[in-house]
Each structure stands twice: as structure tokens, then as C-alpha cells.
């Protein structure tokens, strides 16, 4: 074997290795941003990469949606979708979009603000009641996360009997970190997730504010019965010390799980327990966008909870759902999470409340803003773009 041939073979083999690595999922190959941090518990980050199976068939149900943010399915199989600039529409299963539904309160649609999540009543078939979250203008440059409810008229053109059931205190002059997912727990109480508003981040630790919290309210407004008693705390608070939670779902056992946007290298999966402190901004994985440490740079402290799992680098999480459908039997019990910057549908396998594996699907095919599981077991994602879309994912073949 000549030296030139050996070199050619070595180069060829290296190229082969590179192309093989590029076709496999290599999202754990990137180094962490905060290289000196280590997880508090085994398996808390970088779970084993599992194959992205099965292959998916991707079908655009409807496009032309401007920055869609939240989606829920109605009993007749159609979809109620929010668009961040302030519109809510019905999309039929065959992709016809209604005119914007009339009667919604004004939203502050600047930067990350606007019309956000939507969820329909468990008894929507008879009550036609809907809840939605939004950035509420409060005068001057100030705004706040708010939640309203209304009854969708029989022709689905108008929201009637509208009332605002939650208004975040205090209002803040900021265009960021509004939260705000809405999920009902098994008792009928409504969880509302919020953010630190990307300004006074210490307010996430201040139980006298609604900023950076998981809140649990009654569907007609006010603190829900059974909330934890927190010394000097507002009665709506379920848990605190959160940065910006845009993903929330109820597990098959009835427990709330959330995913929050962390700083650079600090997205977190949590299972928020009543009255507990999840640490932001005192403890956090990751670092400032500048590369500086968050506060003292510590990742653990007595009296503050560890995340179940964290991502460094981040996925930039959006909506999430537990999979319990019929079309993907191997996915049952998995957690599906939308990724914005990661432009992926992230699947986590869970065992005894811990993450055991991670797979990513649809990478690079748009910022995933929300995830839902349809009644037929297909997975529905919202692609957040100027020309955004409602997409159905089913097994291919
Ligand atoms: Ca935390």
C-alpha cells in the first residue's frame, strides 16, 4: 500500500465517518455552554439518544396562520387556533380557516406579546366555553399576562359572555416572558404559567407577585381551592422561582409537568409541587447570553428544587403533551415537547418520573410553537412563522 493510497483511504474513511455522524442524530455532540457545571443527579441532562422512529408523514392541515401560538381540538375534530397578533380562528379537519372570531379583548401584540394560549372546556360539547391567555395592555408601555373566558356562539363567529378572570400583578413595561400555558387539572382547576417578564427577574422569587410562577385558579377566577399556603404569598400561587414557562401538561397520573425557557444552556423540565421554589434566578443551569454566570453561578441550594431534566444547549421549549394515543403505540407515556430554536419535536421517554431517553423529529422544519395529540392519535404541531401552519404528523407507512 503506497503512502498516497493510505492517505486517500484515511481521508475517505474520515469523510465516511463524518457523513455517517451527520445522518445519525448528534444533538448531544455539541458541548454545553456552561462547561464547568455538572448535574445534581444522574440522568438529569443528556439522556441517551434514542432512534427517531417511526418515520413521520407530515401533512399541512392549514397554512397562512400568522405566528400561531396555541391550539386545542374541538369535539367535532376541528381546531381552535390563536395567532399572536390577536386573532382566534377555527380550522376544520380539511383545512378551512374561519374568519377571526369576534368579541375578544384587545391584546398588546408587541414582541413576544399578543394572543397566546387557548384551551376548551372538558364539557365544550355542551358549554361551548373557551379560555385564552394574552398580553393585556395596561396603559403607557405596560402590559401583563391575563386570562379570559367566553362562550363560542353557535355559529362559531363570536365569543360571548366574555370575562377576564386573571390579571397578572404587577404590570411591567416589557415585551417578553409572558408565559403562558393553560391546562386544567383533574379537579377542574386551571393552571396558568407565567414568566419573569425579562426585567425584574428577582420577582420570580417574590411571592407577592404573579411573575415567574405557576398559578392555579378557579375556571371563573380567583385562587382555586386546595392551593398551598405560602407565607405572605398571593393565593393563586402553586409554585415559584420560574423563568418563563411556555409548556405545561397533565401526566396520565394527574400531575402537572412544565418546561421552562432557561437562560443560555438552562431549559428545564419540572414537575412542580405545591409551595415549592424552583430556584430562578438564584440557582440555574446555564449562563447569561453574555457568557457571565447567573448570579453566583450556583446550580443547587437548600430549599430550592432541582429540575427533573435540563438541556444545555437549549431546545427553546414551547408547548408540550403526554402521548397516550393509538397511532404511535411505542410513544405511549412519552412526553412530546415543541422546540423553537431547535426547530424540532422532542420526545422524552420517562420511567419512574425520570427521563430515560431523548429523540428529535422534524428537525429544521420550522419553529414548533405548540404540540397537541388529536383524538385519533395523530400529533398536531403549530409552526410559528409569518406564514405559520397547523401540521399533522402520523406514522409513515
Ligand atoms: Ca429551576
Amino acid at each position: 500500500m503506497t503512502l498516497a493510497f493510505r492517505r486517500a483511504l484515511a481521508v475517505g474513511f474520515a469523510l465516511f465517518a463524518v457523513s455517517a455522524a451527520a445522518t445519525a442524530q448528534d444533538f448531544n455532540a455539541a458541548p454545553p455552554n456552561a462547561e464547568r457545571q455538572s448535574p445534581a443527579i444522574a440522568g438529569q441532562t443528556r439522556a441517551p439518544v434514542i432512534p427517531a422512529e417511526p418515520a413521520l408523514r407530515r401533512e399541512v392541515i392549514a397554512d397562512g396562520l400568522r405566528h400561531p401560538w396555541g391550539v386545542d381540538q374541538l369535539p367535532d375534530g376541528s381546531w381552535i387556533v390563536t395567532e399572536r397578533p390577536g386573532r382566534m380562528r377555527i380550522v376544520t379537519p380539511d383545512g378551512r380557516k374561519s374568519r377571526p372570531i369576534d368579541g375578544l379583548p384587545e391584546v398588546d401584540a408587541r414582541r413576544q406579546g399578543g394572543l397566546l394560549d387557548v384551551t376548551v372546556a372538558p364539557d365544550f360539547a355542551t358549554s361551548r366555553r373557551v379560555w385564552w391567555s394574552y398580553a393585556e395592555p395596561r396603559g403607557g408601555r405596560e402590559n401583563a399576562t391575563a386570562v379570559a373566558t367566553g362562550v363560542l356562539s353557535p355559529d362559531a363567529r363570536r365569543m360571548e359572555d366574555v370575562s377576564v378572570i386573571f390579571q397578572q400583578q404587577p404590570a411591567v413595561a416589557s415585551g417578553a416572558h409572558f408565559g403562558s400555558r393553560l391546562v386544567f387539572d383533574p379537579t377542574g382547576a386551571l393552571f396558568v404559567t407565567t414568566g419573569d417578564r425579562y426585567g425584574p427577574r428577582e420577582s420570580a422569587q417574590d411571592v407577592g407577585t404573579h411573575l415567574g410562577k405557576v398559578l392555579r385558579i378557579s375556571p371563573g377566577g380567583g385562587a382555586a381551592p386546595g392551593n398551598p399556603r405560602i407565607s405572605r404569598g398571593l393565593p393563586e400561587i402553586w409554585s415559584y422561582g420560574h423563568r418563563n414557562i411556555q409548556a405545561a401538561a397533565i401526566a396520565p397520573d394527574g400531575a402537572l409537568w412544565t418546561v421552562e425557557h432557561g437562560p443560555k444552556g438552562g431549559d428545564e423540565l419540572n414537575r412542580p409541587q405545591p409551595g415549592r421554589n424552583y430556584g430562578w434566578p438564584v440557582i440555574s443551569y446555564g449562563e447569561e447570553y453574555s457568557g457571565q454566570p447567573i448570579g453566583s453561578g450556583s446550580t443547587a441550594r437548600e430549599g430550592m428544587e432541582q429540575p427533573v431534566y435540563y438541556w444545555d444547549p437549549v431546545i427553546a421549549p414551547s408547548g408540550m403533551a403526554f402521548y397516550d394515543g393509538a397511532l404511535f403505540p411505542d410513544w405511549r407515556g412519552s412526553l412530546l415537547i415543541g422546540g423553537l430554536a431547535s426547530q424540532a419535536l422532542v420526545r422524552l421517554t420517562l420511567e419512574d418520573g425520570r427521563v430515560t431517553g431523548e429523540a428529535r423529529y422534524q428537525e429544521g422544519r420550522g419553529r414548533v410553537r405548540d404540540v397537541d395529540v388529536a383524538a385519533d392519535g395523530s400529533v398536531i404541531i403549530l409552526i410559528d412563522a409569518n406564514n405559520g401552519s397547523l401540521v399533522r404528523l402520523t406514522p409513515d407507512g
Side-chain angles (χ1 to χ4, degrees):
M1 197 184 287
T2 67
L3 185 61
F5 185 71
R6 276 176 202 264
R7 281 191 179 142
L9 195 65
V11 168
F13 190 77
L15 286 173
F16 173 77
V18 165
S19 68
T23 54
Q25 285 194 306
D26 53 3
F27 53 82
N28 274 353
N33 291 289
E35 285 182 300
R36 287 194 295 272
Q37 293 175 347
S38 51
I41 26 179
Q44 196 181 17
T45 191
R46 295 176 180 249
V49 175
I50 54 177
E53 293 170 350
L56 300 180
R57 178 165 176 262
R58 178 187 177 105
E59 176 195 354
V60 175
I61 302 173
D63 60 10
L65 296 164
R66 185 124 185 241
H67 295 293
W69 208 99
V71 60
D72 202 4
Q73 191 172 33
L74 303 182
D76 69 359
S78 59
W79 303 91
I80 190 163
V81 179
T82 60
E83 292 171 276
R84 190 158 41 76
R87 295 180 288 271
M88 189 184 293
R89 299 178 194 271
I90 307 291
V91 179
T92 60
D94 61 357
R96 278 175 296 129
K97 299 191 297 268
S98 76
R99 291 172 46 85
I101 296 165
D102 289 328
L104 272 61
E106 185 191 352
V107 304
D108 191 352
R110 287 176 293 160
R111 296 195 52 215
Q112 297 174 7
L115 184 58
L116 303 173
D117 204 16
V118 61
T119 191
V120 303
D123 68 349
F124 178 88
T126 50
S127 71
R128 296 187 69 76
R129 189 161 280 281
V130 178
W131 286 259
W132 62 94
S133 62
Y134 59 106
E136 177 183 62
R138 292 273 186 89
R141 302 292 292 173
E142 296 195 338
N143 52 34
T145 300
V147 179
T149 180
V151 173
L152 188 63
S153 63
D155 61 7
R157 290 190 172 192
R158 189 173 171 76
M159 208 60 84
E160 296 169 340
D161 191 22
V162 171
S163 57
V164 178
I165 61 163
F166 170 73
Q167 294 171 296
Q168 184 178 61
Q169 302 296 343
V172 181
S174 163
H177 291 196
F178 292 94
S180 50
R181 285 296 165 193
L182 304 177
V183 283
F184 282 102
D185 78 5
T187 73
L190 184 63
F191 283 113
V192 181
T193 67
T194 68
D196 69 3
R197 303 306 318 285
Y198 201 63
R201 57 165 61 154
E202 293 72 22
S203 56
Q205 289 291 320
D206 180 355
V207 294
T209 79
H210 292 126
L211 310 183
K213 308 294 188 302
V214 172
L215 308 169
R216 186 171 166 272
I217 63 174
S218 292
N227 275 359
R229 288 165 196 243
I230 300 171
S231 176
R232 293 185 298 279
L234 296 174
E236 299 91 352
I237 296 174
W238 176 260
S239 63
Y240 61 104
H242 300 286
R243 185 169 178 272
N244 187 27
I245 305 177
Q246 293 194 338
I250 302 294
D253 68 357
L256 173 73
W257 292 62
T258 59
V259 181
E260 70 187 72
H261 284 277
K264 191 172 78 179
D267 287 350
E268 295 186 353
L269 171 67
N270 288 299
R271 197 164 72 88
Q273 301 296 302
R276 301 284 179 86
N277 179 354
Y278 287 79
W280 178 255
V282 181
I283 60 167
S284 181
Y285 291 95
E287 59 190 18
E288 302 282 3
Y289 294 115
S290 67
Q292 293 297 304
I294 308 288
S296 66
S298 57
T299 57
R301 182 175 290 195
E302 189 68 32
M304 294 184 183
E305 305 302 315
Q306 281 295 312
V308 172
Y309 191 70
Y310 70 89
W311 289 267
D312 183 3
V314 298
I315 58 169
S318 53
M320 69 198 259
F322 281 90
Y323 190 80
D324 59 355
L327 281 183
F328 296 89
D330 293 343
W331 290 14
R332 286 197 191 123
S334 287
L335 195 46
L336 305 178
I337 304 161
L340 295 163
S342 54
Q343 297 197 18
L345 175 68
V346 177
R347 180 167 75 93
L348 298 180
T349 53
L350 302 172
E351 213 173 291
D352 299 328
R354 306 292 317 170
V355 175
T356 56
E358 178 170 351
R360 298 192 189 176
Y361 306 79
Q362 301 285 299
E363 286 183 283
R365 302 193 66 179
R367 293 159 55 84
V368 180
R369 178 58 79 178
D370 199 7
V371 180
D372 202 5
V373 178
D376 68 0
S378 55
V379 173
I380 299 298
I381 57 176
L382 281 184
I383 301 298
D384 183 348
N386 219 359
N387 176 17
S389 51
L390 178 69
V391 172
R392 176 187 286 124
L393 302 174
T394 53
D396 191 12

